[in-house]
Amino acid sequence: MAKYGEEFMKCPVFTAQSLIGGKWKVYILWQLHDGAKRFSEIHRALPHVTQSMITNTLRDLEKDGLIHREVYREVPPRVEYSLTPIAWKLISPLEQLVLWGIEYMNHMGTMEEEAAKPDSDPISTTS
């Protein structure tokens, strides 16, 4: 975020958008809302996204203080990603965004039947 001028940084909407506006940032944050995940679990949820793109996005989120990267000193090495306390505050707005997305998709007639089931995870069935 340092690449933007000081005037922009005074705007909370711009700040929020700068932090979560990347193509895969919101999706990765949502994937972590139900607990810490390893890189492979995140990549499995985004199979069409390259490993380097996921790696770069995770680095950005870590640099901005939204996720925590825990390295376990074991063989083989294990790394887990989890939400930081400030990122947890995003989950409620993200839940509202999911509900709005479902409503919009239903309105436009683009909601897949499987994703519309009450017990399914709408984020994991749409991309």
Side-chain angles (χ1 to χ4, degrees):
M1 281 189 13
K3 63 184 172 185
Y4 300 107
E6 192 174 314
E7 285 302 309
F8 281 120
M9 297 312 298
K10 293 178 183 175
C11 174
V13 173
F14 180 82
T15 300
Q17 189 275 330
S18 296
L19 291 169
I20 64 171
K23 189 170 184 177
W24 303 109
K25 287 181 179 183
V26 168
Y27 195 91
I28 289 173
L29 290 169
W30 183 257
Q31 287 297 310
L32 296 175
H33 90 283
D34 59 354
K37 294 209 174 20
R38 296 176 77 167
F39 182 91
S40 60
E41 295 174 286
I42 296 169
H43 189 249
R44 228 176 288 130
L46 295 164
H48 53 284
V49 181
T50 65
Q51 287 187 1
S52 63
M53 176 61 76
I54 294 171
T55 298
N56 291 336
T57 303
L58 289 168
R59 284 182 184 150
D60 287 346
L61 290 168
E62 182 183 15
K63 177 180 61 80
D64 290 334
L66 296 176
I67 63 169
H68 173 72
R69 181 177 184 265
E70 182 73 31
V71 180
Y72 294 91
R73 305 286 179 207
E74 52 189 49
V75 178
R78 177 171 53 115
V79 177
E80 288 184 344
Y81 297 91
S82 60
L83 297 175
T84 60
I86 194 69
W88 274 108
K89 294 178 184 249
L90 277 170
I91 297 306
S92 182
L94 290 181
E95 288 171 342
Q96 293 301 308
L97 188 62
V98 168
L99 294 175
W100 180 85
I102 291 169
E103 184 177 333
Y104 180 80
M105 292 169 71
N106 283 331
H107 171 75
M108 298 302 290
T110 59
M111 187 72 171
E112 294 178 17
E113 196 170 306
E114 182 65 26
K117 292 181 181 176
D119 60 341
S120 69
D121 180 0
I123 292 293
S124 65
T125 56
T126 60
S127 49

